Amino acid sequence: MEINKVLMVDDDQSIRRICQVSLANVGKWQVILAESGYDGLELARKEKPDVILLDVMMPGMDGPTTLLKLREDDELKHIPVILMTAKVQPQEVEQYTRLGATGVISKPFDPLTLPSEIRKLLCA
Amino acid sequence: MIGNKDDAKDSEAEYDEALDDVLTTLRREYEDELPTRFAELKEYVQKAKDGGEKQLEWLAQAHTIAHRLAGTAGSYGLAELSNAAGVFDAYCKHLLKNKAHSEESRDAAPSVTPLDWQEIEAMTNAIFESHPEKRYSPPS
């Protein structure tokens, strides 16, 4: 699938910063940033990204809850969602996949290879 | 044609160099923020250790900081810090999960034991010591 626009949702500014550089400079994609699940849902409705990267552990609405809301929304449920989390366990990957995630990327990630990891998950 | 190929290579090399510069700048900025994060971590661990009604809340805050460090530091090339924070992250995650489970099942909630605190303090110090270039001396 072709990727033009990516929405990245993470409450940690340091991760948003390095993700933006990676996705824009290495992936050559347009990057939209959100710092909470609530903002992520709003921006997803407005911007209709090709893929959403979603942090798992966020205050307020966490990643899995945001994922469920995306999957309940007729206009957004087709958008692939990749969850991102530190020290992910295999059973957590299964759990997130059951919730409707396209895949999981473990943090930390290499900013030089993050876009290719995303492409691989979308092609799997 | 050869000239064009060389031009393309040159441009790619320049581009890689430019990206390297951006990543180096981002890493420096991140490193500059670390003392603040370390101080916050130390503060929340101390508050949790002091006990009281909010003990678990403070521990959860410390856990959040360690979880972020674990996920972020490695992406900035600070693998040792990321690993040290990951150990703290996993330990606290397990501890907080057990506490929540005990409260849900209405068992007597086990307190955080002295051994837990010893472990947590050792793991906190490992985080501080994992970044020798900007070694952080936590306030005593």
Side-chain angles (χ1 to χ4, degrees):
Chain A
M1 69 172 277
E2 193 183 350
I3 304 172
N4 292 306
K5 200 190 278 187
V6 182
L7 169 62
M8 157 79 193
V9 188
D10 198 307
D11 62 311
D12 187 345
Q13 193 191 15
S14 304
I15 279 288
R16 292 200 304 273
R17 224 182 275 161
I18 197 150
C19 251
Q20 181 169 32
V21 167
S22 166
L23 302 175
N25 291 275
V26 183
K28 316 276 188 204
W29 299 326
Q30 183 188 342
V31 187
I32 301 145
L33 300 172
E35 59 180 71
S36 70
Y38 300 104
D39 289 352
L41 281 174
E42 201 179 311
L43 281 169
R45 287 188 190 108
K46 191 177 159 196
E47 299 282 349
K48 302 284 188 305
D50 300 304
V51 59
I52 299 173
L53 304 181
L54 192 55
D55 180 34
V56 168
M57 196 168 144
M58 291 187 288
M61 193 191 296
D62 65 11
T65 309
T66 309
L67 173 61
L68 283 176
K69 299 267 179 205
L70 287 163
R71 288 296 167 256
E72 286 166 6
D73 190 314
D74 283 341
E75 284 187 35
L76 307 175
K77 63 184 177 190
H78 67 283
I79 301 175
V81 175
I82 295 172
L83 285 170
M84 298 180 80
T85 186
K87 310 289 170 194
V88 68
Q89 302 294 317
Q91 65 267 27
E92 287 174 287
V93 176
E94 274 176 38
Q95 184 196 338
Y96 300 146
T97 309
R98 275 201 303 272
L99 289 177
T102 304
V104 178
I105 288 179
S106 185
K107 289 194 227 171
F109 54 81
D110 180 347
L112 297 177
T113 57
L114 178 65
S116 63
E117 274 191 70
I118 293 168
R119 279 194 202 98
K120 261 186 223 161
L121 285 172
L122 295 181
C123 293
Chain B
M1 291 299 279
I2 292 170
N4 284 345
K5 260 188 189 174
D6 285 348
D7 286 349
K9 272 185 186 172
D10 285 349
S11 139
E12 201 174 296
E14 273 172 28
Y15 181 76
D16 286 348
E17 215 171 283
L19 182 58
D20 271 355
D21 288 346
V22 172
L23 291 174
T24 304
T25 304
L26 280 184
R27 178 179 162 150
R28 277 198 204 117
E29 285 171 5
Y30 181 71
E31 285 178 319
D32 288 344
E33 291 166 8
L34 285 177
T36 308
R37 294 185 190 210
F38 289 170
E40 284 170 354
L41 178 63
K42 176 151 179 96
E43 185 190 338
Y44 285 127
V45 167
Q46 189 56 54
K47 280 181 173 174
K49 198 181 170 194
D50 290 345
E53 277 178 20
K54 287 187 164 183
Q55 184 183 55
L56 287 187
E57 204 178 299
W58 300 133
L59 196 57
Q61 294 281 4
H63 175 230
T64 300
I65 293 171
H67 180 80
R68 283 181 173 176
L69 285 170
T72 313
S75 298
Y76 283 92
L78 305 171
E80 202 183 328
L81 171 57
S82 177
N83 290 336
V87 174
F88 185 113
D89 176 19
Y91 193 90
C92 272
K93 187 177 177 181
H94 183 71
L95 198 64
L96 290 165
K97 198 175 169 185
N98 281 351
K99 292 281 289 178
H101 179 73
S102 302
E103 283 171 8
E104 269 171 24
S105 62
R106 299 190 179 192
D107 293 342
S111 59
V112 182
T113 65
L115 188 62
D116 285 327
W117 288 121
Q118 261 183 32
E119 293 287 338
I120 288 170
E121 282 192 343
M123 287 183 279
T124 308
N125 288 331
I127 291 173
F128 296 156
E129 286 161 12
S130 64
H131 192 213
E133 283 174 32
K134 296 216 172 192
R135 196 177 290 276
Y136 170 66
S137 302
S140 54

